[in-house]
Amino acid sequence: MALAATISTSKAEDLVFTLKNNTNGTIERFFTSPVGVNNWEEDVFGADVIEPGESMEITIGDGRSVCQYDMRFEFTADSNIETLEDTQDLCAMGSYTISLSKN
């Protein structure tokens, strides 16, 4: 008699949200990494950029089933904006707006 075992693995859903640039600079590179991971993943944009006032649909399809991500935004040199970082629960977000306004 042979025993058969079925292992069910659930594929983590991609995280999808709209990234809005509410700064006066061009975002040239966007990196993400799950909280607790000490290295940044690949640039999400590839060859794309987000100009001031524009938005882009972002998909993070890294196969992980986590929600808390660190984010790093790098701007073009002529934007005169320092690199910005933030941490958010991307599962709970439909959109994320990056701005330079002070709280």
Side-chain angles (χ1 to χ4, degrees):
M1 171 193 266
L3 294 175
T6 303
I7 298 174
S8 175
T9 58
S10 62
K11 181 179 180 247
E13 289 188 32
D14 292 346
L15 297 172
V16 180
F17 63 97
T18 301
L19 176 61
K20 300 175 186 176
N21 182 1
N22 196 29
T23 71
N24 58 356
T26 301
I27 306 172
E28 187 173 42
R29 287 180 289 280
F30 172 53
F31 301 93
T32 63
S33 181
V35 170
V37 174
N38 293 327
N39 297 312
W40 293 108
E41 307 276 321
E42 290 182 30
D43 177 16
V44 175
F45 289 169
D48 294 329
V49 299
I50 300 181
E51 299 290 340
E54 291 185 347
S55 61
M56 177 188 294
E57 183 174 272
I58 301 294
T59 301
I60 300 175
D62 61 10
R64 294 180 174 107
S65 58
V66 298
C67 293
Q68 293 287 328
Y69 277 82
D70 293 324
M71 298 181 290
R72 178 181 176 97
F73 304 92
E74 295 181 0
F75 294 82
T76 56
D78 64 343
S79 295
N80 294 318
I81 299 175
E82 298 284 328
T83 296
L84 300 174
E85 295 182 0
D86 194 10
T87 300
Q88 292 292 327
D89 179 344
L90 297 181
C91 296
M93 296 173 37
S95 67
Y96 178 87
T97 301
I98 184 168
S99 66
L100 299 176
S101 62
K102 296 181 180 182
N103 295 333

